[in-house]
Amino acid sequence: MHGSGGYDGAVPELSVNALRVVRAVAAHGSLSGAARTLGYSQPAISRQVSAAEKAVGQPLFVRGARGVTTTRAGELVARFAAETLAGLDRLDERLDELAHGPEVRVRVGAFPAANAALLPFALARALRRQPRLSFTLVEASSPQLVHQVIGKRLDVAVVASGPGLPQPALEGLRIAPLPGGELRVGVPRGHPLAALEGAVPVRELAHAPWIVGKGARDEPQFGAWPTLTDPLIAFRARSWHSRLGLVAAGLGICVVPDILAPVVPENIVLVRVDDPNWLGRSILAISRNDGVEAHEVIIRALREPAADQRSP
């Protein structure tokens, strides 16, 4: 740079921080806006702008009562800053991939109860083994999930199978049984059923007010205990949050799948039911038979005992 401020063809001595500041000031049209975005004080922003202007030998911004406007040189430097910083970000990503391997995205789906508890803990375990994993999550009914796996829109899905559920066609898919297929009954703490030792005889549930799910026919939902013939329905609620809230308030009891136990509020007790007529349900992890290692990591994590979860 010439002392007179003229450009002599040398590369401007602009620091990366100065480029970030110029980009932010140009985007916000104010020093204070750039300061808030970057987490700097306004005097620090002013110093970086002054350093950038000294480096290029021209004013980059014109100060006014309502902020700053960008000069032609400022527009040029702001565009250069955006391109350079984007390039540095890409370089950082490539170096990270070179050191640790590329990020692997896995598309995973589950029915709502599994999506609320079983899947999150499994994904956390998978990430501890393979930190380069990232996920796209889908929540849907089991038949919808099966169609998405077959159609290659999902890689791994957690589905339910058993009496009272639509039975999706699983031919040609890899099927891995998962723990947690039992059903329990959630009752408010202090409820008479909570005080009984061992499993509750199903006859004790016959006259209880039930809180059940609601939704379209193909949506996953839970009614009263499956073998009761004429249960008393007190409330219908779409979400698990609503159902469990009604139970906690003492307004009824509800069926709770075993896999939901880790996230059930502490003021709800889950009781086992002694019912010889109930055949049970199964929880399955399904995927295509493509042998992708990242998919195998997810399935193994789903099948592991969940030592980090609340005991039911």
Side-chain angles (χ1 to χ4, degrees):
M1 294 292 172
H2 292 300
S4 62
Y7 181 57
D8 64 0
V11 177
E13 296 176 356
L14 290 168
S15 69
V16 172
N17 280 341
L19 291 175
R20 289 196 178 98
V21 167
V22 170
R23 180 180 64 176
V25 172
H28 288 279
S30 72
L31 301 182
S32 58
R36 286 192 299 271
T37 298
L38 298 176
Y40 293 162
S41 66
Q42 189 164 328
I45 294 291
S46 296
R47 288 194 295 272
Q48 289 285 355
V49 168
S50 297
E53 291 178 328
K54 182 178 179 182
V56 301
Q58 299 184 50
L60 303 178
F61 302 101
V62 177
R63 281 72 167 172
R66 297 187 177 183
V68 301
T69 56
T70 310
T71 65
R72 292 183 63 184
E75 292 175 0
L76 180 63
V77 173
R79 284 198 300 271
F80 173 79
E83 294 168 359
T84 301
L85 293 170
L88 288 173
D89 288 341
R90 288 193 296 273
L91 175 61
D92 187 58
E93 291 172 3
R94 299 299 183 270
L95 290 172
D96 191 48
E97 288 182 4
L98 187 62
H100 303 103
E103 184 178 81
V104 179
R105 180 167 293 277
V106 183
R107 300 162 299 175
V108 187
F111 60 93
N115 209 38
L118 175 66
L119 190 58
F121 286 102
L123 297 184
R125 289 192 293 274
L127 278 171
R128 286 196 287 271
R129 292 190 183 87
Q130 196 171 124
R132 303 297 297 174
L133 289 175
S134 65
F135 306 104
T136 299
L137 300 181
V138 170
E139 182 175 292
S141 67
S142 292
Q144 291 172 340
L145 294 168
V146 172
H147 290 316
Q148 291 189 50
V149 172
I150 293 172
K152 300 184 177 181
R153 297 190 299 278
L154 283 178
D155 300 311
V156 178
V158 179
V159 301
S161 176
L165 295 175
Q167 299 305 303
L170 302 176
E171 291 81 4
L173 296 176
R174 179 189 172 186
I175 302 170
L178 302 179
E182 292 184 38
L183 295 182
R184 304 181 188 230
V185 173
V187 303
R189 194 168 292 279
H191 190 281
L193 292 178
L196 297 179
E197 294 186 6
V200 174
V202 68
R203 64 178 179 274
E204 299 289 338
L205 306 177
H207 303 294
W210 287 91
I211 297 161
V212 301
K214 69 175 181 178
R217 180 174 298 179
D218 67 339
E219 289 181 354
Q221 53 190 293
F222 286 84
W225 186 259
T227 62
L228 294 180
T229 55
D230 191 22
L232 171 63
I233 307 301
F235 292 93
R236 296 181 184 274
R238 182 178 294 273
S239 74
W240 278 110
H241 291 298
S242 298
R243 276 173 262 171
L244 294 175
L246 291 165
V247 172
L251 297 175
I253 66 177
C254 75
V255 171
V256 178
D258 199 35
I259 55 174
L260 205 61
V263 295
V264 169
E266 295 288 346
N267 55 357
I268 293 177
V269 176
L270 299 182
V271 299
R272 297 183 183 275
V273 178
D274 180 10
D275 184 357
N277 294 319
W278 171 234
L279 300 178
R281 290 176 175 172
S282 300
I283 308 298
L284 310 171
I286 63 171
S287 61
R288 296 180 301 279
N289 287 296
D290 46 20
V292 176
E293 175 59 26
H295 304 172
E296 300 295 325
V297 170
I298 303 300
I299 293 171
R300 285 198 297 272
L302 284 164
R303 300 187 72 177
E304 287 178 5
D308 47 357
Q309 300 180 21
R310 168 188 161 191
S311 297

